[in-house]
């Protein structure tokens, strides 16, 4: 199987879907001629031309709005927001327009729009360019929310997102762009939305983690293995729809649940998963459900502070120990 | 030709422009050495606008400024101590924002700097609010918002200029047109040849000025500030300038046509002012050379100092979230 980077996975999926369906168009700030600010989308402008791949002015409302309008009238747009934090500039178009259009029109309209953006911390970009924002969109029924952690997931899930008839917020983690991984060859490779990935099998504790935190959790699991604790690590990959079944089945087996996310404690996806698991499997739980998060903070610029804030292997190990306390 | 400023003002402006230039060059080096992390946006080539703006700001009167992530020069010109800025670049506790802000988030209310906004267009609405305070409290203060040529493509820009115009807020909107927004040329993203042309849509004065000539920029800002203080509302100023470096650390600026940078280098803002001062018998080559040396040394000394400063305590990560 070919090994590619997470960054290359984005352009592979876009390339395949643009070749597959001429209704797929792509636009955003400096995504065309310059190949993207994160150098994620090179070559598309040259290959598919300036009609289908467009550079826009710095106009997030106009970008998402044009995506919505094109989507309800027959195209299948992919738009880029660059840093996910900039979604805040255009929450109206995403939350009031894209998410609600189908519902408000009594099912007359569909919005096959994919909104790509790079989220996440770890690189010193400061408070307004580093946040994980998936929770913003989980609170807007009508949207799907995708958070890939590997190159294969990027390819498979981005293709699914583009083919989906609903608006999808596709959040790439900018610290993962250089991550390498095997991706099955061929244009037929696709991963459906709403199917979790059991990244590591285990019997004592279920750890649910996304994006950067999958790696962190796997490292913790390795170390815990040496201590005789067997962890099952699950990457939900999509938060809406959420593959609750896989998570609940795992907890029924292990009796313990830890969620690990690079986001805030209050109102994060971990809170949602924890609640849903208690609703569906409380009698199977043998210890407290513990969320490993950023706590209540804002991503700081200063290197030591940013590193301190981000959950690491030791935070996960501590949480597992707490959950295992008799 | 703009009115000549006093020799003291010229000396101050020249000294500060040199300080900004060396500081920016040093910051670039520190980035390449991985001492400074994240990203940075240099204002090399645009220094005259910073000095012209700062000379029209009186923080004691309550004047305020909002600008962009390309704000090191504005901060220093306003009088933010070099130490405070350099330490912030490195995420140190003694930085102006205690290390939490970084290159893109400089604040120093002592000098009237509300912030260097990292979200394009976010500064103008905030400047309106500061101008509203001045209007309601009758302080006579103004608020200046500085932004790039790509910024009028953001909805917030239009909302803010419109509001300031209808409320006649004491605000000045100062565009640094450096020909590019990230990798896109101005003309590829805007339908009007000049940013200042947009003023007519809001029935406010729109003025174009040579952004490399500090005295020329100073004169138009002075007029705009007086106009605003007299209750006439905002002015849109467009300073035509150029950034010598790429958009940010990672941009080699390959999209620029050959020879463009060289043309602009011929009208370097520091040299333009120095030449005027020489022509007026206010500066010799030797004096200029020693001013350069002094600026370079100051930047170097402050860099060494900042490198040795401590990082913030880890607990501080949870401080200053709420009052
Ligand atoms: C709302 C928003 N969209 C996009 C960006 C990314 N971005 C940062 S600077 C920039 C270009 C701004 O160009 P211009 O206004 O000309 O200012 P300059 O950088 O040239 O000073 C862009 C697109 C951002 N920071 N905020
Ligand atoms: Mg510009």
């Amino acid at each position: 199987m070919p090994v590619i980077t997470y960054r290359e996975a984005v352009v592979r999926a876009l390339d395949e879907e643009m070749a597959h369906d001429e209704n797929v168009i792509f636009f955003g700030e400096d995504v065309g001629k310059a190949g993207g600010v994160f150098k994620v989308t090179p070559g598309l402008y040259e290959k598919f031309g300036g009609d289908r791949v467009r550079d826009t002015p710095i106009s997030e409302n106009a970008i998402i709005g044009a995506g919505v309008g094109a989507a309800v009238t027959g195209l299948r747009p992919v738009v880029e927001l660059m840093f996910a934090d900039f979604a805040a500039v255009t929450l109206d178009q995403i939350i009031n327009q894209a998410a609600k259009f189908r519902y408000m029109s009594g099912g007359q309209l569909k919005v096959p729009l994919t909104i790509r953006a790079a989220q996440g911390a770890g690189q010193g970009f400061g408070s307004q360019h580093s946040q994980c924002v998936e929770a913003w969109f989980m609170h807007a029924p009508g949207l799907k929310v995708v958070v890939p952690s590997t190159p294969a997931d990027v390819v498979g899930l981005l293709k699914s997102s583009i083919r989906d008839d609903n608006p999808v917020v596709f959040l790439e983690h900018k610290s993962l762009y250089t991550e390498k991984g095997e991706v099955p060859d061929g244009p037929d490779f696709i991963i459906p939305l709403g199917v979790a990935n059991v990244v590591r099998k285990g019997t004592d504790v279920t750890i649910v983690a996304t994006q950067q935190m999958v790696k962190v959790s796997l490292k913790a699991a390795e170390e815990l293995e040496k201590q005789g604790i067997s962890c099952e690590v699950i990457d939900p990959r999509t938060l809406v729809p959420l593959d609750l079944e896989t998570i609940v089945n795992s907890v029924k087996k292990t009796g313990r649940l830890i969620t690990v996310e690079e986001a805030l404690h209050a109102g994060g996806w971990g809170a949602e998963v924890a609640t849903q698991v208690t609703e569906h499997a409380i009698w199977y739980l043998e210890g407290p459900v513990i969320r490993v998060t950023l706590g209540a903070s804002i991503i700081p610029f200063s290197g030591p502070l940013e590193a301190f804030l981000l959950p690491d292997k030791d935070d996960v190990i501590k949480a597992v120990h707490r959950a295992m306390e008799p | 030709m703009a009115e000549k400023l006093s020799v003291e003002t010229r000396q101050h402006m020249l000294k500060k422009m040199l300080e900004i230039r060396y500081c920016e060059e040093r910051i670039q080096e520190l980035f390449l050495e991985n001492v400074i992390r994240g990203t940075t946006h240099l204002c090399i080539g645009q220094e005259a606008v910073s000095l012209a703006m700062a000379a029209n700001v009186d923080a004691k009167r309550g004047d305020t400024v909002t600008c962009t992530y390309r704000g090191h020069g504005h901060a220093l010109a306003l009088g933010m101590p070099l130490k405070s800025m350099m330490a912030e670049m490195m995420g140190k506790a003694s930085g102006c924002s205690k290390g939490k802000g970084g290159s893109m988030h400089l604040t120093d209310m002592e000098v009237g700097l509300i912030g260097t906004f990292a979200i394009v267009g976010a500064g103008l609405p905030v400047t309106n609010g500061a101008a509203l305070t001045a209007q309601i409290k009758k302080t006579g203060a103004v608020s200046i918002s500085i932004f790039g040529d790509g910024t009028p493509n953001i909805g917030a820009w239009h909302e803010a200029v419109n509001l300031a115009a209808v409320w006649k807020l004491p605000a000045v909107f100062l565009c640094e047109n450096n020909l590019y927004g990230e990798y896109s040329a101005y003309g590829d993203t805007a339908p009007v040849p000049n940013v200042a042309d947009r003023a007519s849509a809001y029935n406010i004065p729109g003025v174009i000025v040579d952004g490399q000539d500090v005295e020329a920029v100073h004169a138009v800002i002075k007029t705009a500030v007086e106009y605003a203080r007299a209750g006439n509302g905002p002015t849109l100023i467009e300073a035509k300038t150029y950034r010598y470096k790429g958009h940010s650390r990672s941009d080699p600026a390959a999209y620029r046509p050959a020879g463009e940078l060289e043309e602009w280098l011929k009208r370097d803002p520091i040299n333009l002012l120095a030449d005027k001062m020489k022509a007026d018998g206010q500066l010799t080559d030797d004096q200029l050379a020693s001013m350069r040396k002094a600026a370079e040394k100051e930047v170097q000394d402050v860099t060494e100092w900042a490198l040795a400063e401590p990082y913030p305590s880890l607990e501080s990560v949870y401080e200053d979230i709420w009052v």
Side-chain angles (χ1 to χ4, degrees), chain A residues 232-273:
Chain A
E232 181 142 299
V233 179
I234 299 178
D235 176 359
R237 302 195 286 198
T238 64
L239 295 167
V240 182
L242 178 68
D243 181 359
L244 192 63
E245 201 185 326
T246 298
I247 298 169
V248 165
N249 286 342
S250 172
V251 173
K252 284 182 178 171
K253 181 176 70 177
T254 63
R256 291 180 178 87
L257 174 66
I258 312 285
T259 61
V260 190
E261 66 198 297
E262 188 192 313
L264 303 183
H265 202 67
W269 66 252
E272 181 60 26
V273 167

Side-chain angles (χ1 to χ4, degrees), chain B residues 7-316:
Chain B
V7 66
E8 293 77 23
T9 305
R10 281 178 159 188
Q11 278 164 348
H12 167 77
M13 287 179 161
L14 184 62
K15 179 168 178 281
K16 272 282 169 195
M17 284 202 274
L18 288 167
E19 182 184 310
I20 294 169
R21 177 71 55 93
Y22 285 114
C23 183
E24 293 287 64
E25 284 173 356
R26 193 72 188 98
I27 286 171
Q28 172 86 342
E29 288 167 10
L30 291 164
F31 255 101
L32 297 176
E33 292 162 21
N34 268 326
V35 172
I36 297 179
R37 55 202 295 273
T39 183
T40 191
H41 309 81
L42 305 176
C43 71
I44 298 179
Q46 306 183 190
E47 295 92 342
V49 183
S50 295
L51 269 300
M53 174 278 297
N56 282 291
V57 170
D58 181 354
K60 288 202 190 73
R61 178 172 67 194
D63 290 351
T64 51
V65 173
T66 64
C67 63
T68 74
Y69 47 85
R70 200 177 301 289
H72 309 161
H74 301 311
L76 291 176
L78 283 167
M80 176 185 284
L82 183 55
K83 282 185 167 179
S84 176
M85 202 199 63
M86 202 51 123
E88 190 61 36
M89 293 297 121
M90 299 183 193
K92 299 297 181 77
S94 43
C96 61
S97 308
K98 299 181 191 163
K100 288 179 178 163
S103 163
M104 293 199 283
H105 303 287
L106 307 172
T107 289
D108 186 349
M109 288 308 278
E110 293 279 307
V111 301
L113 181 59
I114 294 178
T116 59
F117 292 65
I119 302 294
V120 169
L124 288 94
V126 175
T127 258
N128 277 352
L132 181 62
T133 301
Q135 192 181 58
I136 288 176
K137 295 200 169 178
K138 300 190 172 49
T139 58
V142 295
S143 188
I144 301 182
S145 188
I146 307 150
F147 52 87
D149 49 285
T151 310
N153 298 328
I154 278 266
W157 188 94
H158 295 269
E159 296 182 24
V161 176
N162 185 67
L163 184 73
V166 293
W167 285 3
K168 295 214 179 305
L169 292 173
V172 176
F173 300 121
L174 173 58
C175 177
E176 293 180 285
N177 186 343
N178 59 12
L179 309 195
Y180 298 92
E182 269 176 2
Y183 315 137
S184 294
Y186 170 73
D188 290 343
T189 59
V192 283
N194 305 293
V195 171
D197 298 344
R198 297 194 189 258
S200 62
Y202 301 98
N203 199 22
I204 61 170
V207 188
I208 296 173
V209 65
D210 172 2
Q212 305 311 84
D213 178 348
V214 67
E215 292 185 322
V217 185
H218 179 272
V220 298
I221 298 177
K222 186 164 178 247
T223 305
V225 166
E226 282 163 4
Y227 183 82
R229 277 161 56 78
N232 298 310
T235 300
L236 173 59
I237 298 170
E238 175 181 10
K240 304 274 192 190
T241 181
Y242 197 72
R243 59 163 156 77
Y244 293 175
K245 304 284 177 184
H247 166 72
S248 63
R249 174 181 64 137
S250 52
D251 169 26
Y255 44 81
R256 300 199 291 213
E260 187 177 83
L261 171 63
E262 289 67 25
E263 275 311 302
W264 281 89
L265 284 169
K266 289 183 194 155
R267 302 198 65 256
D268 181 77
I270 296 175
N271 292 344
L272 284 187
L273 178 60
D275 289 348
K276 275 196 207 178
M277 292 174 71
K278 283 186 215 165
D280 290 344
Q282 297 167 339
L283 184 74
T284 65
D285 284 333
D286 284 352
Q287 282 169 330
L288 179 60
S290 59
M291 281 177 86
R292 285 189 191 279
K293 267 215 186 88
E296 201 173 358
K297 181 167 178 339
E298 199 198 348
V299 168
Q300 192 47 36
D301 291 349
V302 169
T303 304
E304 296 304 324
W305 168 85
L307 283 167
E309 280 294 283
Y311 284 107
S313 73
L314 295 181
E315 303 78 65
S316 77

